[in-house]
Amino acid sequence: TPATVPKAVQPVRVAVIVMENQGYDSVVGLPYIHTLVSTATALTEYHAVSHPSLPNYLALTSGLTWGITNDGYHVLPEQDIGDQLTAAGLPWRAYMEGMGTDCLQDTGEYAVKHDPFAYYGGRCPASVVPFSQLTGDLAGATPPRFIWITPNLCHDMHDCSPTVGDTWLQRTVPMLLASPAMSNGVVFITWDENDGGGSNQVLTLVLGSKRAAAPASSYSHPSLLATVEDLLGLPRLGATRAVTAIALG
């Protein structure tokens, strides 16, 4: 009898979806998110690092806020997860819903402040693309190893009600999880910051082939970045070298 050919194991892939401006308690009971909380892992002691948006996006991608306390445009050193992946030769893409042809220009749906990759090196990396390319990329021959998703200003709960964002997640997350490319994948859904409350607690969900082993431990945006680096086999950036990653089982 012919030898059985072992099925190729997909490499680990990581997706990060970043939502906007809602605290833990304001989203945990939404219909679709509630189903995710009950079937995946919700981190119950996860806190954003700052206000307003931009410093949190920078912490998620470089481990640092760079001392920035506003949403203005700043050219920063190329010391982020995107440049790490490029240097390692690992394909990655950041999918920006509503972005036009220039990542440095706001549109009615896309805000530069929600695209951290536009700041490192002061340019638009080739890996930053419109969200409309995601489905085709997942089905392609070489799906990205790292997937970042910024919904548009309505779908991320920034300009529209949380229920609108919940419905968008209900459309998007199952498609992502069902993709063969993500069969050995981990999906993180987090919020950049809360609505201004004191502790800046936000909901962070861990979905996919691995579960968070210590969901009640204290984590923050640099913790998530350190976890992504470890999952993808990247050396830690200087800012995340001493950070405790999210424990995954």
Side-chain angles (χ1 to χ4, degrees):
T1 57
T4 302
V5 178
K7 188 177 181 181
V9 177
Q10 288 281 2
V12 174
R13 290 190 170 87
V14 181
V16 176
I17 301 173
V18 185
M19 307 295 283
E20 275 282 317
N21 292 24
Q22 300 293 329
Y24 184 99
D25 292 337
S26 64
V27 296
V28 73
L30 291 167
Y32 180 64
I33 290 172
H34 181 69
T35 68
L36 295 180
V37 169
S38 61
T39 57
T41 306
L43 304 183
T44 56
E45 290 296 333
Y46 187 106
H47 299 266
V49 299
S50 185
H51 296 293
S53 290
L54 178 59
N56 291 290
Y57 282 81
L58 299 177
L60 278 165
T61 49
S62 71
L64 296 170
T65 65
W66 301 91
I68 291 169
T69 57
N70 57 50
D71 284 332
Y73 190 72
H74 311 262
V75 176
L76 299 173
E78 297 173 14
Q79 297 171 18
D80 66 293
I81 182 72
D83 284 292
Q84 272 187 300
L85 289 159
T86 300
L90 296 179
W92 68 279
R93 282 206 154 169
Y95 298 91
M96 302 289 162
E97 192 176 29
M99 183 181 76
T101 56
D102 183 358
C103 83
L104 300 179
Q105 292 294 319
D106 290 342
T107 70
E109 297 183 336
Y110 163 83
V112 178
K113 64 184 179 180
H114 297 164
D115 175 2
F117 305 102
Y119 292 77
Y120 305 110
R123 85 287 191 220
C124 296
S127 292
V128 175
V129 299
F131 177 72
S132 56
Q133 295 189 25
L134 175 61
T135 305
D137 286 352
L138 286 173
T142 55
R145 292 287 305 278
F146 177 67
I147 293 166
W148 172 286
I149 298 173
T150 294
N152 69 30
L153 287 165
C154 181
H155 293 154
D156 67 5
M157 305 186 181
H158 186 281
D159 289 356
C160 298
S161 75
T163 55
V164 173
D166 189 58
T167 300
W168 182 87
L169 287 170
Q170 189 172 18
R171 288 198 309 268
T172 306
V173 173
M175 176 272 294
L176 194 58
L177 291 174
S179 165
M182 293 298 291
S183 61
N184 190 24
V186 184
V187 178
F188 297 97
I189 305 171
T190 193
W191 275 254
D192 71 324
E193 59 180 319
N194 71 5
D195 50 5
S199 72
N200 215 354
Q201 183 187 16
V202 294
L203 175 63
T204 297
L205 294 160
V206 185
L207 301 83
S209 63
K210 300 181 188 298
R211 297 296 177 89
S217 295
S218 180
Y219 297 118
S220 65
H221 292 332
S223 310
L224 198 157
L225 173 59
T227 310
V228 173
E229 291 175 308
D230 291 354
L231 284 168
L232 295 176
L234 295 169
R236 294 279 192 94
L237 289 163
T240 57
R241 204 163 288 148
V243 170
T244 301
I246 298 165
L248 298 178

